[in-house]
Structure formats: structure tokens, C-alpha cells
Amino acid sequence: MFAHNKRLQYSVHVSECNPGLANLMLEQFGGPDGELAAAMRYFTQALGEDDPGRKDMLLDIATEELSHLEVIGTVVAMLNKGAKGELAEGVNSEAELYRAINGAGNDSHLTQILYGGGPALTNSGGVPWNAGYIDSRGDPTCDLRSDIAAEARAKIIYERLINVTDDPGVKEALGFLMTREIAHQQSFEKALYAIQPNFPPGKLPGKAPFSDMYVNTSQGQGDMRGPWNSDDNFQYVSNGDTYQAMDGGDGMPSVQLSGRQKECVQAMQQRTRSNPNGNPTTGAELGGNA
Amino acid sequence: MFAHNKRLQYSVHVSECNPGLANLMLEQFGGPDGELAAAMRYFTQALGEDDPGRKDMLLDIATEELSHLEVIGTVVAMLNKGAKGELAEGVNSEAELYRAINGAGNDSHLTQILYGGGPALTNSGGVPWNAGYIDSRGDPTCDLRSDIAAEARAKIIYERLINVTDDPGVKEALGFLMTREIAHQQSFEKALYAIQPNFPPGKLPGKAPFSDMYVNTSQGQGDMRGPWNSDDNFQYVSNGDTYQAMDGGDGMPSVQLSGRQKECVQAMQQRTRSNPNGNPTTGAELGGNA
Amino acid sequence: MFAHNKRLQYSVHVSECNPGLANLMLEQFGGPDGELAAAMRYFTQALGEDDPGRKDMLLDIATEELSHLEVIGTVVAMLNKGAKGELAEGVNSEAELYRAINGAGNDSHLTQILYGGGPALTNSGGVPWNAGYIDSRGDPTCDLRSDIAAEARAKIIYERLINVTDDPGVKEALGFLMTREIAHQQSFEKALYAIQPNFPPGKLPGKAPFSDMYVNTSQGQGDMRGPWNSDDNFQYVSNGDTYQAMDGGDGMPSVQLSGRQKECVQAMQQRTRSNPNGNPTTGAELGGNA
Amino acid sequence: MFAHNKRLQYSVHVSECNPGLANLMLEQFGGPDGELAAAMRYFTQALGEDDPGRKDMLLDIATEELSHLEVIGTVVAMLNKGAKGELAEGVNSEAELYRAINGAGNDSHLTQILYGGGPALTNSGGVPWNAGYIDSRGDPTCDLRSDIAAEARAKIIYERLINVTDDPGVKEALGFLMTREIAHQQSFEKALYAIQPNFPPGKLPGKAPFSDMYVNTSQGQGDMRGPWNSDDNFQYVSNGDTYQAMDGGDGMPSVQLSGRQKECVQAMQQRTRSNPNGNPTTGAELGGNA
Amino acid sequence: MFAHNKRLQYSVHVSECNPGLANLMLEQFGGPDGELAAAMRYFTQALGEDDPGRKDMLLDIATEELSHLEVIGTVVAMLNKGAKGELAEGVNSEAELYRAINGAGNDSHLTQILYGGGPALTNSGGVPWNAGYIDSRGDPTCDLRSDIAAEARAKIIYERLINVTDDPGVKEALGFLMTREIAHQQSFEKALYAIQPNFPPGKLPGKAPFSDMYVNTSQGQGDMRGPWNSDDNFQYVSNGDTYQAMDGGDGMPSVQLSGRQKECVQAMQQRTRSNPNGNPTTGAELGGNA
Amino acid sequence: MFAHNKRLQYSVHVSECNPGLANLMLEQFGGPDGELAAAMRYFTQALGEDDPGRKDMLLDIATEELSHLEVIGTVVAMLNKGAKGELAEGVNSEAELYRAINGAGNDSHLTQILYGGGPALTNSGGVPWNAGYIDSRGDPTCDLRSDIAAEARAKIIYERLINVTDDPGVKEALGFLMTREIAHQQSFEKALYAIQPNFPPGKLPGKAPFSDMYVNTSQGQGDMRGPWNSDDNFQYVSNGDTYQAMDGGDGMPSVQLSGRQKECVQAMQQRTRSNPNGNPTTGAELGGNA
């Protein structure tokens, strides 16, 4: 069960109305690595989790991410507030209002026209958030790796936003939010390595000899060796040269069909055959330049 | 530049037409952790990569994933082949054909009616693949973590498919594909740790004291301590109790507006005020039961 | 700022593992009228809201909806728990596990294979949640009407789920959740009518005579009159008979182009003209039956 | 059955080619509150409707919305016409053509490059229309409320477009379209209140005492009382303080599992346990700065 | 401007309630080749079209497709009508109602629970319609080819639906709708070939020698020659053997950077280098089985 | 099975960093007519194809399209390379970096902030690629027509990109890619016409008299005759005048319901009837201006 207090987890003080900057901030509100994605990622994992330690941790972090969603959404709302009022009241000239949503450095027309200046759950390009951003699979050795990666991505997006922001209050809030991703990543790392073994993920072992094989499929200038494909760590093969199937078979597919199925498949093949002989006149030839 | 040979990387021998099973296999063809997602994840990273070792590795693995896309897609095509022929020729009765796409254990109507039995780039529930499944961000300390997590997820999906498949040829091909994900994960791990330092991701450091703080936001029965929130590793705080802003401020938002903006915002607020006094009759009351 | 307690807002006691029923419940977890949609609808409105009464109400209800998301998600998790364990451990036969995800009354394969039995943010048909479900526009006379409608929709979906559920613990929790939507609708109604005037929405008045006109565009058997198109309330016209433009003009479009633009448009028209004279041979004719 | 006349319902006279303005207009062509959404919303409701009065009204308004789709789409086509010709003929310099699609106040590159200047069924930010925008649920006490809200939203979007448009012909057509939304809202209101009772929606009554309860979940500075949570109208509770489950139970979830299910769940828990003791070395530590 | 008559373009007489069959019919209501896609494809093309003949034809066919949308949607509504009533009234037992939406041959739970038995703009698998299905590009030599292909696809989907339907009234209506696609295809073919020349599409010619070259990139068992790659029609090359760039260059990419850009790129490369020497311990190794 | 060589199929030499131009290029990387769509369209068709000639051709062209995906993606990477380095290192001022992603002629903020300057699988407006762009239906007389249309669309998009590009190296690579679409279209045309008959698509014939009928549904000023609706080719009817059903019936729908179903439908109708008599007060009236 959740409770809320109207105080933010971090105070937000914005220097001036700046809808163009607001739009960039949406990336961490409704973007794929934003705070809604984070909150829902951990919250849905928590609901399906039976391990008491992980469940508690996931709920702690999910709840904090909701507070972060509030912080970044409030940044957006503050940056848009003046523009929202002007458009709603419509007392400026049309040309002024047009320029205010459609100018160099300020491509905020979608936010203003459709969303009325409110924080919308879209990325910074206007694409609505969708749950396909959440890659929880219900196995902790997968999900914790996904969580670690998600925190890393969120960190880098905040870093980029900090790099393009010169409003000091916005910059400070972004710094706080970025740093919390570092902390969360460390918790998820601890929880992953507190499962032993955690590799390979899941329960089934791999099938020898394929689990330590590296296939050099891209060749030519630029081929490199390193620990990711070294003989120390891998059996290095180049089956792109010989195009041999790895099972030692003929590399061809087959399926056993019933008699009726065979008849139908053959009838279909005959009916739709592209005859390799002859040279039929085509529509393109009817339409080509004489 | 790519080349192709009609031999598969792994031979596919299927025992009988089984569209219901084919549908499950689509998960690794056009699902979020499927082979198209894998191939495109690494291929797009490779195109933007300047580090020669990583670029080569990403191209190697991307190319192999395309060959895996061909293997799993061929499994789907073989499992559907007989049913496709029967529907195309339409010589069975309508009731037989209806049951063939809409029965217990065989919910394959979308695959048959819309996609004609061909392998479609959807997940096993019919949701089309979309590029939001790819979470590449152009920073290797993020992207390699995302790649590690993606391989872990793909491994577990193959494991589940193996658990529900009793066609021996399909099971064998799935075992191969699952194992290759284990190998790829190991390469990505080596490439990540060959960057030093790789944590925190990106370039900006975190802001003390927030990078080692753990916030116990979910309380009550079930609170747990472990290495993910232990005093050894974290400063453990519970600001949900006191609801204090972490910056020490008042937790309130503010923005400085121009005079015109202030006027408009105030006019808007006045115009749209929900008056807290009085008790207006509502539409619901007009429509409620007397 | 949010806080969480591990106690649910409503206790959830489920009689038996039932993944087919779990899937239906997803409708109110990740469906368009589900609890995530509700929570995010009100939360994002709250962030952009300046009216203190509405802001407080929106935060109260948003927070409660998050607790409801937890309740319905927990129902899903409980209904799936046994099946999740069986698939993860893989000790049952393949045929048993296949039937467990793909049978009459239990089309849960997507939930089990992809999401591992965890509550996924999809609707009951597997379509991922997306923020297009949220129709907030930043104007309270619109948004409160949208909120009223959203509560009405959520109520009816819960009613249908109750009608198809015979697990008593699930039924009881659904009854609680359904009832809360009724309460929320009443709050939103009060807040809407506490704005005076609230119709028409926004600030600009309509243009006479079009605001009280009803156009009878669908004719023939079945034409009806009622308060929605009565002469008491509307000017009733049938311009589908005469096809006259309502502005009294010619109903034709025009645009003034520059000289260069005119030249280009004419060149394009000439180049791509479909000649109405003659009878060209077509591709279809090349391919038709002799 | 539909018929069409090439005359528009409202004449469209545009002053000059203006692709930047055209893009804004797309909001009401292919946006969530645009005319396609309106037409399809009422048309699909009509098809499933058995009440003769509502069916007729829905068909009347759906048909008119199709005529509005034609009006707004024609506005887009006129605003783009000159630019379309110039790009198609390619006789201007590359730099001129680049600036024509990618300049301050004119971010129309998607419309020009992909859609060739034709009216595309996207919102003003380029997001394709999708049927998730339509929230019809097959119950008139819900659907009419959704229709009322949809008309309110469409009205406000037109208002904003009018505020940023200074082309007089465009402004006039927008004024007509905006006004018709006001008229439609009034018809839907009459149809809703012609159902008695219409609240609560659907058939099942709410469960006492939850239907008149208001839960104060968001606390602290900013708590307000008004008719939406007044003691006159609601039982006001604050269970966020005590975190008690509203059913009076323990707030904990449970499910009864079969013996085999229990064994599997326990095996899975044991296998994937995050051990709370110890302090494992993590990947992040391997990668951290020394 | 549109008008409507309540008579259908084709009478619809359905033998019995059959929600499972209704779901299949949705494919041509809200699926990618369904009637909404057809109507909107031609309607949006018409709005941007200046050629008078094509504009008239597109409006004729678009309008007819709207009437077809009504026919197929009415089929869905009739097939669902009884089930809708039963679920709405809830007087049958829960188990009966559950089976009615979730049984062998009848996977209609999404249609019933979410859409209340009304015709929803989804495909037969529940995926919402989206405007990405429309591939209009604003050039008639492209768009007419796309229209021809779209009619061909719609024809084949109707053929499959006919093959699985034994309700005579439904079958008859489907036969009518299928046949109209054949007629429309013929009109679009005539309109395409009435443009001369129409190949290659657009205005720019191809660059010799690439326009008549066929590249044999897939080799090995199964290589075939036919008119699509014959020496009569094409220059046949196999650059997959030699991997030579077709421009005769080195096949390598380059870009000229400013001094500052070069410095930054080099700094980034150095900072994020994956060192090919050494063999770092990885997270996977920390988590692997001893 | 695929192999790769690090040489591109066409050398890419870019004159300068230009993220605004890079964004336009994304249209053919991750847009609906881009190279991923092309590659996957033909590759998935190939997997389900049994005709040896078509299968070989589809694999040849699919593989080449993957090489084109690499070429256009490399163009994007080169155009972004300098900007990526500057943002990653963050040594320029915030204002400079902001302008570099958000300026006239350079709306690249999404590419830079979210995707880090790497080639993303989105269209030029930021919309992620999705598999709904692929319209393969498993019937070659449909699929080849769809392939022909797809090549025509891809050609025209490249033509537009060439028209707005003045970087000579980019222009040259685009010219190559555009030309290859012309060649591919010719192969698909030959393969289609090598099937005889290929019209109408599929197996079922049309039903007389509907296959050669043209319905003049859009009337008034602008009606035209041409080969697409001439008496030579079609039976020309105008049933929009008389609104007669084409089957000669009453144009009304019907369904036979069971007794229980009838009772429920009637109860539902009665319960939810919009009473045509009376004039109920509505919510809008409560909220209207006095």
C-alpha cells in the first residue's frame, strides 16, 4: 500500500520558463529509461517475487523511483508553466504564440498543443511510453541483470541531460537523480551476486561444445582478437568460410507431413509456381519509358 | 557486406505439422528477446562503434544472430507447412479448417489467417516486433551491460520453450540456440571488463552522499537487510518516515515567470478554479438512482 | 514523495492456481482502463495542476490507484504462482507443461513463456500498455470529464470480471476495486461542477449558429428524434440531401501559391497525369486467366 | 451505406503554403482527439448499438465527423501543396529544399520526406494514429461519458490551434470545427441523461462502505477539503497513516497450491535465493575505479 | 462531404451467435488489410491528389470501403450479440460465462471483457489498428502500386475467412466483399497504366550500371536462374565471393571532423577502449558454478 | 547461414558532421520503407517459400538489403560522429551542446540524447520501426505485388533524400541505393508474371456481377470517367443515389438468438434505453454559463 506526501524527495527550483528544455527532460519522465519505466520494472518484479530479500529491495527502489518520477515531472511542469498559461489564455498574438512552440531551440508544439504543457508520458521525441520497455522475465538471474543494465542506461541519459542544461536548479536535481541510479545499480549487483551460482541464467546447462565457441562470422580488414574471443576463453571457429552446419548435418530443413497435407502443399506449389523458363512481359515493362 | 548460403547453421528436422507449437516458437523469432532483436541490437551498436575490438565482436555476433533468426524461422515454417497448404487449397471442410486454427492447444488463427502460415515478426501472442525492444544508447559501459542482460533473457526463454516441446528435432535446435546465448554472454562480459574503469557508466561521477545511500521506502512486515542494503555497503535511511527532502530544502517546486506569464497563469487559475466551498449538483447525481 | 507498506490495501486470498483467470485479470493491471492507466492519468494531471484543491485530490486518488495496481497485480501473481514454479523447474513432462499453457479455458502461453508468470503490463490479450491510453490535455474542464469517463469504464470492466470469476477471494477483491471506482467518479464529478462555468470547455465560445445545430447525416429507415436532436434543443438540418457547404460558399478548397510553386505543381501534375482517354493494358490483364 | 459529394462541409481557403502550420493541423487529423478518432469512436459504437435512438444519433455524428476529417485534411493538403510540388520536381537547390523542411518554425521533414506532403494519419508530432485512442466499451453509460469527454478534448485542441493560427481562412474553418464539437457534446449529454438511472455505470451496485469513502493518501502541506472529499459527501479516511487493510484482514496475499506446485515453488525459491548473509564481490566492484 | 443511409450495402443474415467466428472477422475490420485501412488509404490519397480522374476514383472507392467497413462490422456485431447480452446481464453462472469467452474454438475473452462484444478496431489477434498500415507516399506511381498490392492482400484474407466459415449468411457477405477487392484492383491497375511512363517511379532515373544488375548474394545448393535474374534481363554478379565494394573503392567509411570534434572522439575512444590484451575477470565468472 | 565482410557494398565518404541530415537519413534505416523493412520483408517470405526460384531470389535480395542497411546506417554514423564525441565528453559549454541538438535545421535531440548519436531503428521523426510495416501474407501473387510496391516506395524516398542533400559523398551513396530498388522491382515483376495466372490473387474466383462493377459513390462536381471506370471495362452503377443493397435484399442485419440470449439482450436494451421522450437536464446544462 502506498502513501504520499506533497513534499518532493528533492526540491526543484527553476530559473525561467523554457519549454524546449522541458521537452528534453521528458526523456526521463516517459522515455524508455525514464522513471516510469524504472518504477514499473521493479514494482512488477516485486509483485511476482517470492524471495523476501529481493522483494523488499524491489519495493524500496520501485517506491523511490515513483518519487523520482514526481521530481522530474515537476521539473517539466515548472519549465512549461508560463507557456501553458499564455497559450490557455490566448491573449498574445497568434504569431507570438506560434513562435513560442515552434522555434529554433524550442520544438515544443506537441507538448503545448496536445498535452497543454503538462508532463506527458512520452520520450523527448513525443513517442508514448509503452510497456515493451520493461523486460522483466520472472527469473532473478535475468531480471537483476536487466535491472543493472537499466540503471546504467538511466545514468547515461541523465549525464547527457546535465551536459546540455545550464539552468542551475534543473542541473542540481538532475545530478541527484543521476546519482541515485548509481546507488541502485550497486544494490542490484549485490542481489545478483548473492545468488550462487547465477551463471548461466536459469536452470538448464548449455550443450557442449557450443557454450564456449566463438564464431568469426565477420571477416576481412578489421578482424581482432581479444579476451572476448581469445583461445584462452573460447574455441574460435570461422564457419562462414565453409558454411557447414554446426550439427554436422546437411543444414537443410525437413518436416514429415500427412498424406493430405502433402497433396495440398504440392497443389499449392504447382498452382503458384514461378516458371523459371520463358521471359514474361511485366507491368514494369508496360510502364517503362519507350 | 553480407553473404548468405542456403545451408542452415543448424539442421532442422521436424516430426509433424504443429501450428500451436509454431506459435510458441515465434517468441524467439519476433519477440522482444528473439533473434531479430539480438541481431539488430548488435548490428546497430557495431555501426556506431569506433573501438576496433568491440566493432569486430559486435559484427561477428550480429551476423551469427541473423543465422539464428533463419534457424528459428525455419522451425516455424516447417511446423506450419502442412496447415498452410490445407488452408490455401481450401479442399477440407470449413469446420475442419476452423478447428485447425482455433482449438485446444492450437490458438494459431492469427498466424494462419493473416500471415498465411509464414513466420511473422511477432511475439508468441501476436504483438508485432518493434525497435523499442532495442535499448542501445551509444555508450559501451551501458550497451554491453544491456547486451549481457539480453543474452540472459534469451537464454531463459529458450529454456522455457525446451521445457514445453517434445518434438526431438525442435528440441535439439532449441538447445543449440540456447547454448549460443551463453557463449555470447561470456564474450560481452569479457568486452565490458576489458574497459577499465567501467563503473559508474559514462564519464560524470556521482554526487556525494547519494551514491552510496539506500532508502528504505517500503516498510512494515517483510523488511529485510542483506548485502544490497547493508551498513557495510550503504548508508541506510528511511526518509519515508519523515518525508524530508534529501537536499535539506522544503521539497517544494518553484519557477520564476515573466510578468506577462504570471498574469496569464493567474487568469487561468482563476478561470478554472474548483471552488472548495459549496456543494454543487453533479451529473452523477442527475443520473443516480432516486 | 511516496512511501510504501508491504500490507495490501485489501487482502488477497486465492483458492487455487488458475493462469487462465490470471490472464483476464491483466485487463485491469495493464489494460487501457486498468490501474496503471488510472494512477498515471491522475498523477500526471496532478503534476501540472496549480489549483490546490484539485492537485490534492488528484494526488490522493493517484496514490490510491497505485495501491490498487498492487492489489490486482498480486491477484495475478497468486493465480500464476504454481504454474510459474512448475515451468521454472521443468520436472513435469513436456506434454503436461504444454497443456498447462495452451488449453481450453487457459490461453496463458504468452504470460508463462515470455513473462515467466509474473504480472505483465499488458491487457488481457497481451497488448502492452501504452501512454496513448492517457488522454490528459492540461485543461480541467476536459480532464475531469475524461477522468469521470475513465472511472465509468474501469467500473464496467471490473463488473465483467466479477461476472466470470467464481473464486470467492478474487471476486471479493474485485468487488472492492470496482466500488472504489464509483467513489472516485463521484469526487471527480464534484470537482468538475465546482468549476463554474465548465461548459463549453476551455475559454473560446462557439460560433453561432453551429453550436446548437444537429445535422441529420444518416437517413432512411431508423431515423429517430429525441432530446439529443429535438427542436427544443437544436436546429435540425439535413445537409446530406443538398450537399451545401455550411458556410454558404462553394465547398471547394483553394490555396494561393507563389509563381515557383505553381510551376512545380503544374509540372508534377503533367508528369503524373492518369490519362482518362484510351484503355491501357495493365499488369492484371497480363496475369489474368486467358 | 455511405455516399459522398465532392463539396466540403465547409469551404477551405488558405492564404499561402505553410508546411509548419500544416503539421500542427495534423493533430486534429490523425491525433488522439482528431476527426478520425471521433468518426471511428461513434461509428463502431453505432454498429454494436441496439437502442434505435442512440444508433441513429451515433451514425449521424460519425458521418459528420468523416466530413470534418475531410475538411481538416484538406486544410493540411492546401497548406502543403506548394512545398509538395517543389520537392517532387526537385528543381530548387538542395539547400533550399533542405531549409524548406527543416527550419525554425517549420519542422515538417517527416511530412515531406515520408508522406510526400499528403495528409498523414499522425498526430502533430508524427506518431501514427492507433485504435487504442478509442475507448468504447459496449456499455452506453460508459461510452456516452467517454464521448462527452472526447468532444471536450477535441474542443480544447481546436481552441489551441486557433490561438496559434493567423491565416484567416484556416482560422475560420477551425472555428467551425471547434463549434461542432460543442454541439455534439450536448447531444451526447442528452442521450446519457435520457438513460435513467445512469449512475453507477453498468448493472452491479457498489459494495458498502467503499462507494462513499474518500481516502486521504497524500498528506502534508497542501491538504485541502472541498465538495470532492467533504464530510457531506464522503466518509473521509486516511489509511496511509495506519496502513491497515480496508477489509480488516492482514493485508497479505495467499494462494492454495497443489503438492506438486508447492514442491516446484520451493525448489525454485531455493535455487534462486539471494542470500542475505555475506557480502559477495560484484561485477560493479570489478569495474569500479580503484 | 459524406451522407449515410441505414441500409447496408449488402444484407447480413447470421445463423447464430458465434463469438469465436466474430473474432476472425475482426481481421477485415481492424486488421492491416481490413476495410478501415482500405478506406483511409484511399481517402487520404484523395485529399492530397490533384489529378481530377484519380481524385474522383479514390473518393469513390474510399467511400465504398466505408460501406464495407459497416458490413463487416455488422457481421461482427451480429455474431457477438447474444454473448454480449449474457455477459452484460450476468444472470448465467460465472463458470458458464467464463467458458463462453475462453473455450476451445472460442478465444474471445478480449472482445468480450474489454470491448463488451462490440466490433473493435483490432486485428483478429487483438492488436489495435494503427496508421502505419497505410503506406501512402504522395506519388501516384508508388501509391497506385501500393493500392494494387493492398487489394490483392485483402482478397486473400477474405478467401481464407471464407474457407473457415460455414455460416451461409456470413459466407455470402464475405464473398461479396472479396469480389469487390478484385474490382478495385482492376481500377487501380487502369489508373496506374494511364500514367505513361510509370516506371521507374518518381522522376529521377537510376544510375548505370546498377539498375539492371542482379547480385547473387545467397549461394550454395538451391541457386536458380529464371527471368528474374536471367542474362537476358540482368547483369548477374556475385560480389559476395570477392566482397568488393561496387563503387570500386575500398568499401570503408570516412567523415571529415573539425579539430574539436576529433579531440572529443579520440578522448571518448580512449576512455571507453576495450583492451584486447589481458584477460579480465568478469561478472559471469563471479557467478559461475565452481 | 550468413557471413559478413567489413567492407561496405558501397564506400561512404562524408564531408562533415551534420546531425540534422543524419536524422533525415534514418528514414531509410528504420522507416517504413527503409532497408530493415526491405530485408525482413524478403527474408521472412523466403523462409516460408517452397518455390525454389522465388526462394533463391528472395534470399539474394534480402541479403543485399542487409548490406544496404549497413551502408545507410554507416552514413548516419558518420554524419553523427563528431557530435557524439562532443556530447559524450561534455567539454563544450552547456549552451553550445544544447544548440548542437536543438537548432534551426537540426532537430536531432532525440538521436543525441536517447540514442547517443548511434543509428537508431526509427523513422526520420523518431517513431520506432515495427513489424506492422511488413505486409507479407504467404501467397506469392499478393506478396510479390507488395514487394513491387515496396520497392517503388523505397525508390521515391531515396529520390526525396537526394533532392535535399548537398553532401556529395552522401548523395552518391543514396544514388546507388535508389538505383538498386529499381533493379529489385524488376526482378519481382518478372517473378510475379512468371506465375500464370496471377490475377485474381489466390484461388477463389470472384462472384459475378460484382467483379467488374464500378460504384460511383462520390458524386457532384468533379465526377470523371476514364479507363478505371469506363463502360468498356466496368459496369458503372451509382447506388449512393438509391441506397439499395447490392444483394437485392433489405440491407438490414439479423441474427438468430437462443431464448436465453434473447431474454438477456432485451433486458439489456430495456435497462440502458435512452428515452426519446422528455428533455432531461444534463451535466452540460449544470455547467453552462447562466
Side-chain angles (χ1 to χ4, degrees), chain C residues 6-41:
Chain C
K6 283 170 203 75
R7 213 172 274 131
L8 297 167
Q9 204 191 14
Y10 204 90
S11 308
V12 168
H13 300 300
V14 173
S15 302
E16 58 174 357
C17 177
N18 187 340
L21 187 59
N23 264 27
L24 300 189
M25 297 299 133
L26 287 177
E27 196 60 56
Q28 288 303 88
F29 189 69
D33 301 329
E35 300 291 354
L36 178 62
M40 287 304 113
R41 171 184 293 272

Side-chain angles (χ1 to χ4, degrees), chain D residues 87 101 109-116, chain F residues 27 157 160-161 164:
Chain D
L87 183 58
I101 63 174
H109 58 80
L110 184 65
T111 309
Q112 301 296 327
I113 296 288
L114 180 57
Y115 299 116
Chain F
E27 196 60 56
I157 304 293
R160 290 175 185 153
L161 291 174
V164 300

Side-chain angles (χ1 to χ4, degrees), chain A residues 1-6 50-51 54 87-90 93-95 97-98 101-104 107 109-110 112-116 125-128 139-140 144 185-186 189-197 202-203, chain D residues 18 20-21 24 27 32-33 104-105 107 123-125 127 157 159-166 171 217-223 239-240 243-245 265 269 271-275 279-285:
Chain A
M1 178 178 348
F2 289 91
H4 180 266
N5 186 289
K6 282 170 204 73
D50 284 314
D51 185 74
R54 284 198 301 269
L87 183 58
E89 295 311 297
S93 75
E94 291 91 345
L97 288 170
Y98 183 88
I101 63 176
N102 232 340
D107 171 26
H109 59 81
L110 183 66
Q112 300 296 326
I113 296 287
L114 180 58
Y115 300 116
V127 178
D139 176 284
L144 289 167
Q185 182 177 343
Q186 292 179 97
E189 296 256 359
K190 287 291 179 187
L192 172 62
Y193 292 98
I195 305 172
Q196 285 293 342
K203 189 176 175 191
Chain D
N18 187 338
L21 188 58
L24 299 189
E27 195 61 55
D33 301 328
D107 172 26
N123 73 4
S124 64
V127 178
I157 304 292
E159 178 168 337
R160 290 174 186 154
L161 291 174
I162 290 168
N163 281 353
V164 300
T165 303
D166 58 12
K171 209 177 181 80
T217 63
S218 172
Q219 304 184 359
Q221 188 184 357
D223 256 20
N239 82 329
Y243 291 116
Q244 295 306 307
V265 168
Q269 287 172 339
R271 183 168 57 79
T272 64
R273 177 174 180 245
S274 279
N275 184 351
N279 191 6
T281 301
T282 69
E285 287 164 333

